[in-house]
Amino acid sequence: MDGPKRSQLRVRLRVTARRRGADGGGAGGAAGTGGRKRRMEAPVLNSAAKLQRREIGGRQLAARGGGPAAAVPERFRNMQLQEEFDTYDDNAHLFVKLQFLKRRSKIIEIVAAKDIIFALANSGLCAAFNRVTNKRIAFLNLSPDEVIRSLFYNKNNDSLITVSVYASDNFSTLKCRTTPIEYIRRNQLDAGFPLFESESLKWPGFVEFDDVNGKVLTYSAQDGIYKVFDLKNYSFLYSIPDENVQEIKISPGIMLLIYDRTPSYVPLKILSIEDGKPLKFFKHLLHRNKKIDFIEQFNEKLLVKQEDENFQILDVRSSELIEVSVSKFMTPSAFIFLYENNLFLTFRNRTVAVWNFRGELVTSFEDHLLWHHDCSTNNIYITSDQDLIISYCKSEAVAEDGTVIPVGSINMSEIMTGKCIAKITANDPALSAAPRRNGRNKLWSTVPEALEDVTALFYDEDRNEIYTGNSHGLVHVWSN
């Protein structure tokens, strides 16, 4: 295979600008959980209920090695702690001027491509590590006042896009930059170039990268216009005026425009993603005086849920309506759509469930209780053939003296059966840290330490390695 075409599954990435000055409040202020990769689960802009969401698409790919599904657990047999990288640098004061960039900070996002691991810290500092040499290549912050908010690997042209804000304009405007992976490998960061310079991406503006359709959606609140660009070469395609548009949802081949609701209905319009031409305009009836929990679009299916009301699945082509009792389907905190399997995952109260578009529960997981309450999808990875979910889960390790150590585990579960097929846990007597190399004097984390307070997770399907980041700014490599 020519490069890790399977490794980047964060195919929907939206970064929203913040209110002026909202990013300047100390460590992590510019890259905290409030404004990172997220989607709105109700068609109300700037709602506190904005949540992170990923949608998984692309081609079906055989399991590593081409073996049958039964051989999948072999991928994760004898996983060991192999390497440790540190995003903290004692010399950070030499190249950054913002005080919070100089402090040790938790990892909030990991992306890997072509044997390079990118780790973004909550402070806004982003480091690139070479997995072949196991050395840090560089920090991607080109300016001493640059705070990187999010990362996107563009497999269309093998480049990394960074979305940043800057102290020089009070962290109020999103700036995008693309750099070819090969130039990052050579530490030639100046070879990158800025994107979407014509757009004023101030709050509540945003940029959204959609890998399923190969498009970029921007919103300039100053101009009141949404614009769509080609993800391959960043050329402008068409614009959409924002008159009364509350939200835009992207699905394969189409976009759903959600307009301001009236007491009894919400106007909706479906556009072709390729040219922006209207395909359908309709009104979805609502229960009066009930807030909308979410409106989602998946191909021809419209998913609507109002507070304390049944979950509705509307086929916009045939107008067939399916309702699921509110007692069976409660509002989730996040979704992941599985395009190949025509299913979707829901996350609620640290549990994961799989549903079909007939409103039927397909899978409940036997051993997959998520560690974090916020359902951050940076702690969850879906394999590209959509057969496995890998997550940081609740677990308890027992020390030699019998005390319980509050560390989590990395669980790999089958999506269609809910069965846990493998896990990396501190209780595993066969699990250990790889021996130190000769001539290296760096201190290694123990396995329990590496599994404590994991804040980001990524699975590199080409290298068959799991990367985890923790609250100390460390990145750990798990490999067999």
Side-chain angles (χ1 to χ4, degrees), residues 319-383:
S319 298
E320 177 190 10
L321 179 65
I322 296 173
E323 292 208 8
V324 183
S325 168
V326 67
S327 62
K328 292 183 178 180
F329 186 97
M330 289 174 281
T331 301
S333 57
F335 291 91
I336 294 180
F337 287 133
L338 306 175
Y339 288 120
E340 294 293 341
N341 297 335
N342 210 37
L343 301 168
F344 63 96
L345 300 177
T346 59
F347 300 84
R348 177 181 169 85
N349 295 334
R350 292 163 54 182
T351 62
V352 188
V354 183
W355 299 80
N356 62 28
F357 289 91
R358 296 184 297 276
E360 299 165 340
L361 180 64
V362 175
T363 309
S364 295
F365 291 85
E366 64 180 16
D367 183 9
H368 213 92
L369 183 66
L370 301 178
W371 179 274
H372 295 286
H373 288 277
D374 65 357
C375 289
S376 167
T377 52
N378 281 341
N379 282 298
I380 296 164
Y381 189 97
I382 309 293
T383 53

Side-chain angles (χ1 to χ4, degrees), residues 29-205:
T33 57
R36 290 184 19 73
K37 178 171 66 73
R38 63 188 68 250
R39 290 286 300 169
M40 305 170 189
E41 300 305 332
V44 181
L45 285 175
N46 316 317
S47 162
K50 297 175 186 175
L51 295 164
Q52 297 185 327
R53 190 179 89 168
R54 268 193 304 183
E55 294 177 337
I56 309 305
R59 300 167 299 175
Q60 284 277 36
L61 293 168
R64 187 176 181 84
V72 168
E74 296 297 324
R75 278 192 266 176
F76 305 107
R77 192 178 301 278
N78 300 322
M79 280 281 187
Q80 304 291 328
L81 178 58
Q82 298 284 357
E83 189 63 64
E84 181 179 81
F85 299 114
D86 195 352
T87 58
Y88 175 75
D89 192 324
D90 288 326
N91 296 316
H93 64 279
L94 299 177
F95 57 89
V96 296
K97 71 179 183 181
L98 303 177
Q99 196 62 36
F100 56 79
L101 287 176
K102 304 174 186 178
R103 302 171 188 161
R104 187 170 288 280
S105 179
K106 71 179 181 181
I107 304 299
I108 56 172
E109 190 169 0
I110 298 174
V111 172
K114 301 289 182 69
D115 300 327
I116 299 177
I117 302 172
F118 301 96
L120 176 61
N122 191 52
S123 62
L125 195 66
C126 183
F129 301 94
N130 189 316
R131 185 63 184 98
V132 176
T133 65
N134 288 325
K135 294 181 179 179
R136 188 176 64 216
I137 299 171
F139 288 100
L140 301 190
N141 305 62
L142 290 182
S143 166
D145 72 335
E146 179 182 7
V147 174
I148 297 177
R149 286 269 303 276
S150 203
L151 311 172
F152 181 82
Y153 172 57
N154 187 353
K155 68 176 185 289
N156 294 283
N157 52 30
D158 196 28
S159 65
L160 185 83
I161 298 175
T162 54
V163 183
S164 304
V165 291
Y166 294 82
S168 55
D169 76 340
N170 209 13
F171 311 105
S172 65
T173 306
L174 299 177
K175 300 289 186 181
C176 302
R177 182 178 179 84
T178 180
T179 309
I181 295 294
E182 278 307 310
Y183 284 102
I184 296 176
R185 188 191 311 279
R186 302 175 205 157
N187 194 12
Q188 297 176 348
L189 302 184
D190 289 341
F193 57 90
L195 301 174
F196 318 122
E197 291 184 285
S198 62
E199 306 310 297
S200 176
L201 301 178
K202 295 180 182 290
W203 185 90

Side-chain angles (χ1 to χ4, degrees), residues 1 3-7 64 460-465:
M1 177 175 288
K5 293 192 177 9
R6 297 177 293 171
S7 62
R64 187 176 181 84
D460 188 323
E461 297 186 49
D462 289 292
R463 292 187 62 96
N464 192 37
E465 294 182 335

